[in-house]
DNA sequence: ACAAAAGTGTTATCCTTACACCCATGT
DNA sequence: ACATGGGTGTAAGGATAACACTTTTGT
């Protein structure tokens, strides 16, 4: 962490609401795999979700977009609130103490701020990993993608947040703009199916998936994709953006 | 508001987390109607949801049960978190100012506390109105049932909270212990149907509803209810508590 | 006998699931 | 020609919705 910026932080603390924070569970999809956007502390000794505080002059939901961008550089089209975490023992002093010592922070104002109990609002987004390059925040902490099944231990109750967010996503998948932002402009039916299978963590029947998706009338069929494989060439599809938006409100697919 | 208790409040303020509150949307069912548990301020000039603050030594969810009981005397079996409200303009100064003036509160500590911006976590419960007698809190504010379609204007964004809670309930109805706590020990199929219709705000087909409920295998059929009407007597039913709990996890009914 | 409301049955339609079959493609 | 994966078809089963029919009750 950079010392100069810690002083800057100290000056800014009064601009933030005390006791409330937010954390973002950002799931990145690429190549049949989900990754979690993770922040690294203290050269990789600690890992957390990207999170932060709410300014006194901004909405909670706006704060989520700002925090995510400040910490990781990511601009996402939609962040959805999924749960608020307020257990008394969710604050793990050991992490806070370690960070305060590690960076020699003795200023009582900053100490008090970080040692206070926080209630944290959880937000979730699902993005195309390829189009998002995680960066660093003003303290030099870096963010990066970690495959969801290779997560290190996360600080505080962040692991629980991830679990809750994924279960939320499965239930709400029909109301998420899953396809349009996560796939290339043109994609095959198999690409779309794998995306759904990855999120739902279960196999889907190829034939039934295809019929279901086509019946929704949100796909435009294009030319075939001749990729040189020794098999029938699959069609390429793109989303019909108008129909897509219409359907999002009512729920799409599975 | 009672002056003695305001001093007590002042002493207790340090025990609470600043900036975070919770509000309870308690829906009471009786006779085909839903009512909202509402708090009256200043002889009925203002109405609000029962809400309060979180102690530094308790979980957020525990706080909800305590707050509800302290404000209204109600003990409910289950409170469910549905949304957290944090818009910058959700705090309506006019109400706060009026209350502070009305009760001549000049103590800066109390003033500052009530004038700060709050992020509020919303909880919902559905109860049998007949088994709940709303009472008063330590400040002499009374709570009472008001039919959901005759609500007066509520303070702050409490009306929005009610709307959000009801829409949440409709979607989650299958996972709520609707029947067992809201009807008499023994009830007719029509009673159950009307309950569902009231919550979902739409008519259901009598024959199909009956078949659906019976197929769930959560009802025990008892003797007929001879109420003297000039028509075939309906059966009385009760819930099979074991099967009921089993099914709650997986979702019941509509 | 009759009205009223409860209980039960019937039918058509749709959705889901599982699987089979044929089609296109490069080797 | 053949293996491979893509596109389409079919049939069984279940769920849903609309409505008809029968039964029981008090007048």
């Amino acid at each position: 962490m950079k010392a100069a910026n810690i002083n800057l932080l100290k000056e800014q603390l009064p601009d933030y609401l005390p006791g409330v924070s937010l954390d973002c569970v950002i799931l990145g999809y690429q190549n049949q795999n989900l990754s979690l956007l993770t922040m690294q502390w203290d050269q990789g000794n600690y890992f957390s979700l990207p999170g932060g505080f709410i300014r006194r002059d901004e909405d909670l939901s706006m704060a989520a977009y700002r925090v995510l961008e400040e910490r990781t550089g990511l601009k996402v089209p939609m962040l959805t609130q999924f749960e608020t975490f307020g257990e008394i023992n969710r604050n793990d002093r050991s992490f806070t103490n370690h960070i305060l010592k590690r960076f020699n922070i003795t200023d009582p104002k900053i100490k008090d701020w970080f040692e206070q109990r926080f209630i944290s609002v959880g937000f979730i987004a699902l993005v195309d990993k390829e189009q998002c390059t995680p960066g660093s925040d003003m303290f030099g902490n870096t963010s990066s993608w970690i495959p969801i099944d290779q997560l290190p231990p996360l600080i505080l109750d962040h692991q629980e947040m991830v679990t809750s967010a994924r279960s939320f996503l499965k239930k709400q998948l029909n109301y998420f703009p899953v396809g349009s932002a996560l796939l290339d402009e043109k994609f095959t039916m198999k690409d779309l199916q794998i995306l759904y299978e990855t999120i739902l963590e279960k196999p889907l029947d190829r034939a039934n998936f295809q019929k279901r998706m086509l019946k929704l009338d949100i796909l435009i069929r294009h030319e075939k994709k001749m990729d040189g494989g020794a098999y029938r060439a699959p069609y390429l599809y793109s989303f019909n953006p108008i129909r897509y938006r219409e359907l999002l409100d009512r729920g799409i697919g599975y």
Side-chain angles (χ1 to χ4, degrees), chain A residues 182-220:
Chain A
L182 273 61
L183 296 171
D184 294 337
E185 169 72 21
K186 290 182 179 178
F187 50 88
T188 68
M189 194 59 78
K190 182 122 213 173
D191 294 334
L192 187 57
Q193 183 181 338
I194 288 174
L195 170 60
Y196 271 76
E197 288 178 329
T198 304
I199 295 169
L200 295 175
E201 293 183 292
K202 68 176 180 187
L204 302 172
D205 182 273
R206 181 177 64 88
N208 297 330
F209 182 81
Q210 166 131 272
K211 273 176 289 185
R212 188 166 197 154
M213 284 298 153
L214 290 180
K215 197 164 49 175
L216 289 174
D217 192 28
I218 54 172
L219 295 178
I220 303 169

Side-chain angles (χ1 to χ4, degrees), chain A residues 5 35 66 88 103 122 140 161-162 166 182 205 227-228 246 248:
Chain A
N5 285 335
S35 298
R66 177 187 53 75
I88 178 74
F103 296 99
M161 288 181 177
V162 174
R166 291 188 75 186
L182 273 61
D205 182 273
D227 62 354
E246 282 173 18
L248 249 194

Side-chain angles (χ1 to χ4, degrees), chain A residues 68-241:
Chain A
L68 179 63
E69 191 179 350
E70 283 182 2
R71 308 301 307 278
T72 70
L74 257 64
K75 295 182 185 181
V76 299
M78 191 172 90
L79 276 168
T80 306
Q81 182 192 313
F82 66 94
E83 192 183 337
T84 295
F85 298 83
E87 300 293 295
I88 178 74
N89 61 359
R90 66 172 293 273
N91 287 50
D92 175 12
R93 285 288 156 80
S94 71
F95 169 67
T96 313
N97 290 342
H98 180 271
I99 292 296
L100 292 175
K101 268 188 205 156
R102 175 76 180 70
F103 296 99
N104 216 14
I105 298 173
T106 50
D107 188 291
K109 272 191 184 167
I110 302 186
K111 270 192 77 168
D112 287 355
W113 176 272
F114 282 102
E115 280 176 347
Q116 71 180 314
R117 174 181 171 193
F118 280 100
I119 303 261
S120 193
V121 185
F123 287 84
I124 181 177
L126 186 55
V127 301
D128 182 1
K129 192 177 138 188
E130 209 164 4
Q131 287 179 22
C132 299
T133 310
S136 305
D137 63 14
M138 62 184 291
F139 308 110
N141 296 318
T142 61
S143 64
S144 60
W145 293 110
I146 301 184
I148 198 82
D149 49 4
Q150 295 167 35
L151 289 183
L154 304 178
I155 64 164
L156 309 183
D157 55 353
H158 287 196
Q159 182 57 57
E160 193 193 327
M161 288 181 177
V162 174
T163 306
S164 167
R166 291 188 75 186
S167 128
F168 177 85
L169 177 59
K170 281 185 197 177
K171 282 184 200 154
Q172 297 285 117
L173 183 53
N174 295 357
Y175 304 95
F176 264 76
V178 168
S180 60
L182 273 61
L183 296 171
D184 294 337
E185 169 72 21
K186 290 182 179 178
F187 50 88
T188 68
M189 194 59 78
K190 182 122 213 173
D191 294 334
L192 187 57
Q193 183 181 338
I194 288 174
L195 170 60
Y196 271 76
E197 288 178 329
T198 304
I199 295 169
L200 295 175
E201 293 183 292
K202 68 176 180 187
L204 302 172
D205 182 273
R206 181 177 64 88
N208 297 330
F209 182 81
Q210 166 131 272
K211 273 176 289 185
R212 188 166 197 154
M213 284 298 153
L214 290 180
K215 197 164 49 175
L216 289 174
D217 192 28
I218 54 172
L219 295 178
I220 303 169
R221 178 176 280 185
H222 301 279
E223 75 282 0
K224 294 186 177 182
K225 179 190 181 190
M226 310 297 272
D227 62 354
Y231 44 76
R232 184 172 183 172
Y235 288 108
L236 285 170
Y237 294 91
S238 68
F239 285 102
N240 177 336

